[in-house]
Amino acid sequence: MSTLSETPRTDSPETGKRLNKTLVLDAISFFARFWMAYTWIKAGISKLDAHMAVTQNITAYEIFTPQWSDFLARLIGPLEIAGGVLLLLGIFLRTSAKVSIGVLTLFIIGVAQAWLRGLELDCGCFDPTATTTNYQLEYATTIGRDLFYIALSAWTVHRPFKKWAIYTP
């Protein structure tokens, strides 16, 4: 009498479904990690040579003093680039994504308070020198976009794409 092995068949329909599901989840994780890396790097680079415009954008929110606005304007671009590089290289993926969620939440709070207070300003997110005339649409679009970015960052916290990552504890 022969005994059959208890190992699952690799050609079963169930295995194929699991493999397809894994590929889809990996694709979402890949997109979330690398899109957020691109987004942070692009936002940071746009601020590097626009110190005065970034300072004016931050001051327009009427949250910080001019001195703090100047300090944040010097800091925000390099920090956004650093966050993007960490995601790109796969260094502390979950931690980097958690910081991303925190920063995006602060951005949403800043835009929402400006909207509620009736301030007319451009967020300065990707082009500090840009101007807009439809502030209501700009605020809603910015908050919606940042919520999407929070979802991508949360996905990276939940299921980071570790392939090509340098260090993910």
Side-chain angles (χ1 to χ4, degrees):
M1 187 163 164
S2 66
T3 58
L4 295 174
S5 172
E6 299 266 340
T7 58
R9 293 176 45 182
T10 58
D11 59 346
S12 73
E14 192 172 304
T15 302
K17 287 179 186 176
R18 272 187 274 148
L19 209 97
N20 286 341
K21 181 180 177 184
T22 300
L23 287 174
V24 168
L25 294 175
D26 283 347
I28 294 168
S29 296
F30 172 88
F31 175 78
R33 173 183 160 192
F34 290 108
W35 184 260
M36 287 310 300
Y38 162 77
T39 299
W40 284 118
I41 292 169
K42 179 182 175 190
I45 287 173
S46 74
K47 293 173 181 77
L48 288 182
D49 289 333
H51 176 73
M52 183 58 71
V54 175
T55 302
Q56 290 171 341
N57 284 339
I58 294 171
T59 302
Y61 282 92
E62 297 179 2
I63 299 173
F64 302 106
T65 65
Q67 294 80 12
W68 271 103
S69 296
D70 179 64
F71 173 73
L72 291 172
R74 294 181 192 284
L75 198 61
I76 195 166
L79 287 179
E80 287 175 335
I81 293 169
V85 169
L86 289 175
L87 288 168
L88 181 66
L89 297 178
I91 301 172
F92 300 112
L93 281 174
R94 283 191 167 102
T95 303
S96 299
K98 287 177 186 177
V99 170
S100 178
I101 291 169
V103 170
L104 288 163
T105 301
L106 292 174
F107 287 168
I108 289 172
I109 290 168
V111 170
Q113 69 82 29
W115 191 4
L116 290 171
R117 292 171 56 209
L119 301 178
E120 294 184 353
L121 52 92
D122 188 276
C123 80
C125 303
F126 296 99
D127 184 2
T129 61
T131 58
T132 187
T133 56
N134 189 347
Y135 296 100
Q136 302 301 318
L137 179 63
E138 176 77 20
Y139 293 141
T141 303
T142 299
I143 290 171
R145 182 196 62 218
D146 286 353
L147 288 171
F148 174 68
Y149 291 162
I150 285 174
L152 291 178
S153 297
W155 183 270
T156 301
V157 171
H158 172 69
R159 192 179 193 283
F161 186 75
K162 294 181 181 179
K163 191 171 187 175
W164 308 308
I166 291 177
Y167 180 73
T168 56

